[in-house]
Amino acid sequence: MSFWPLIKVLPVRTHFRFVRLARVFATLSVLAIIGSLFLTLYPFKPPCGGLACGIDFKGGTVMEISTAPTPIDTGKVRAALEGLGVTDVTVQGLGAPSSAMVRFQAPGGADISATVTRVQGKLTQTLGKVRFVSTDVVGPKVSGELLTSGLMGLGFAILAMLLYIWFRFELQFGLGAVAALFHDVFLTFGMIAVLRIEFDLRSVAAILTIIGYSMNDTVVVFDRFRENLRKYKSMPLGEVIDMSINEMLTRTIITSLTAVLALVALALFGGPTLYGLSVIMLFGIAIGTYSSIYIAAPVIMLWGVKRGGVDEPAEPLKPQTVR
């Protein structure tokens, strides 16, 4: 017996008129981008502004400690570290009651190795039997280089996507795709700032993954759009856009749900280390699907497109009916 009909709940073809609402969602997207930039940059505190900068970008020391089988009293750990004069102290549980993650920064001008040794001695004195599972130290020079490299990586990735789409389609397609990428990146930074997710190299990796996912979704829609432009040469541009998006909508939803299932499992069972990365990617999948529909395609609508070697002028964003 086949169970496929039980899971095939999505319609084969939808008839939503996306172009009709393009102005409304474009306005909301612009307001969301402005808000995200404000939350990301304000207050302007180097190196990460309003983001909760991780050790990768601001420097410091991270220790994973264990007192198994005795539970850790995080309050005692925090008090012991503050008494040593270290700054930016954070103590976070790691799932098991006997494990914790300790973050701190050495005082300005202090020797980092000596500070780490003093902290380990103080923790041993305070907690008794303690095992230092791992100790990672990032100096301020290295953290600055990592931040610069991470931001340059994001910029080069967006530029490479523009060149790829320009080469494969046309310039206006590339501009639409890059507008969608900037939209996704800015809104993701805003989400990181709102949820106070630690911004570190894992976050940069998640954003780069979002860029790739969003671009893949956009290319699929653009490819169908180009096919329909050749097939329906007399159909208004807005109707061709609506038709192309509707034809690919079910495929996009199924693909997104597959990724969401994996990321939800990663967020629930991956522990604190992978939680932030999972949440960022979940948000990126949702916003990437949205931007392919309401950012990338409307830019082409405003710019105009070629049909059979003849430039078709841009059309106003008005209600359209899918045939």
Side-chain angles (χ1 to χ4, degrees), residues 36 39-40 48 50-54 154 184-200 202-204 206-207 210 276-277 279-281 283:
S36 297
L39 292 172
T40 302
C48 296
L51 300 177
C53 228
L154 292 176
D184 297 346
V185 170
F186 288 153
L187 262 60
T188 301
F189 274 114
M191 184 273 296
I192 293 173
V194 169
L195 299 183
R196 304 305 297 169
I197 296 175
E198 187 176 83
F199 183 65
D200 53 16
R202 287 186 295 270
S203 303
V204 174
I207 294 174
I210 290 171
L277 181 144
V279 171
I280 293 172
M281 291 183 63
F283 178 82

Side-chain angles (χ1 to χ4, degrees), residues 188-254:
T188 301
F189 274 114
M191 184 273 296
I192 293 173
V194 169
L195 299 183
R196 304 305 297 169
I197 296 175
E198 187 176 83
F199 183 65
D200 53 16
L201 287 176
R202 287 186 295 270
S203 303
V204 174
I207 294 174
L208 288 172
T209 305
I210 290 171
I211 289 175
Y213 184 92
S214 177
M215 182 56 64
N216 175 73
D217 198 38
T218 302
V219 166
V220 170
V221 175
F222 280 178
D223 206 39
R224 180 57 60 91
F225 179 45
R226 183 173 59 176
E227 292 177 6
N228 287 333
L229 282 175
R230 296 169 179 169
K231 191 183 302 182
Y232 305 99
K233 295 184 179 181
S234 61
M235 181 180 290
L237 185 57
E239 294 186 13
V240 178
I241 291 176
D242 276 341
M243 176 185 294
S244 303
I245 296 174
N246 278 290
E247 287 177 351
M248 303 309 301
L249 187 60
T250 299
R251 174 258 178 209
T252 298
I253 293 175
I254 293 174

Side-chain angles (χ1 to χ4, degrees), residues 13 22 31 41 55 65 86 144 171 179 190 250 253 267 282 317 321:
R13 179 75 177 273
L31 294 176
L41 300 176
I55 184 176
I65 61 176
V86 295
L171 178 59
T250 299
I253 293 175
L282 281 169
L317 294 176
T321 301

Side-chain angles (χ1 to χ4, degrees), residues 161 165 172-182 214-215 218 222 296 299:
M161 296 298 179
I165 296 297
Q172 57 266 46
F173 285 85
L175 294 176
V178 169
L181 290 182
F182 275 113
S214 177
M215 182 56 64
T218 302
F222 280 178
V299 168

Side-chain angles (χ1 to χ4, degrees), residues 23-242:
R23 287 188 181 276
V24 175
F25 283 107
T27 303
L28 294 176
S29 293
V30 170
L31 294 176
I33 289 173
I34 294 173
S36 297
L37 289 175
F38 176 80
L39 292 172
T40 302
L41 300 176
Y42 182 84
F44 185 72
K45 298 186 298 184
C48 296
L51 300 177
C53 228
I55 184 176
D56 295 331
F57 297 148
K58 70 178 181 181
T61 302
V62 176
M63 290 182 179
E64 183 179 347
I65 61 176
S66 173
T67 57
T70 306
I72 291 180
D73 187 338
T74 56
K76 285 185 177 180
V77 174
R78 191 174 293 105
L81 294 182
E82 290 174 351
L84 291 177
V86 295
T87 58
D88 292 337
V89 177
T90 302
V91 183
Q92 179 182 6
L94 284 179
S98 59
S99 299
M101 185 78 75
V102 179
R103 295 180 177 88
F104 62 88
Q105 284 187 301
D111 181 81
I112 296 179
S113 299
T115 302
V116 170
T117 302
R118 285 197 303 122
V119 168
Q120 290 178 338
K122 185 66 175 180
L123 290 178
T124 302
Q125 178 184 347
T126 303
L127 302 176
K129 182 182 178 181
V130 58
R131 181 168 65 94
F132 298 95
V133 180
S134 64
T135 302
D136 298 319
V137 180
V138 178
K141 181 178 179 180
V142 174
S143 63
E145 292 175 351
L146 290 175
L147 178 61
T148 302
S149 299
L151 295 178
M152 288 179 62
L154 292 176
F156 281 127
I158 293 176
L159 177 61
M161 296 298 179
L162 170 62
L163 296 176
Y164 169 70
I165 296 297
W166 187 359
F167 173 76
R168 179 169 175 178
F169 299 99
E170 297 175 26
L171 178 59
Q172 57 266 46
F173 285 85
L175 294 176
V178 169
L181 290 182
F182 275 113
H183 170 274
D184 297 346
V185 170
F186 288 153
L187 262 60
T188 301
F189 274 114
M191 184 273 296
I192 293 173
V194 169
L195 299 183
R196 304 305 297 169
I197 296 175
E198 187 176 83
F199 183 65
D200 53 16
L201 287 176
R202 287 186 295 270
S203 303
V204 174
I207 294 174
L208 288 172
T209 305
I210 290 171
I211 289 175
Y213 184 92
S214 177
M215 182 56 64
N216 175 73
D217 198 38
T218 302
V219 166
V220 170
V221 175
F222 280 178
D223 206 39
R224 180 57 60 91
F225 179 45
R226 183 173 59 176
E227 292 177 6
N228 287 333
L229 282 175
R230 296 169 179 169
K231 191 183 302 182
Y232 305 99
K233 295 184 179 181
S234 61
M235 181 180 290
L237 185 57
E239 294 186 13
V240 178
I241 291 176
D242 276 341

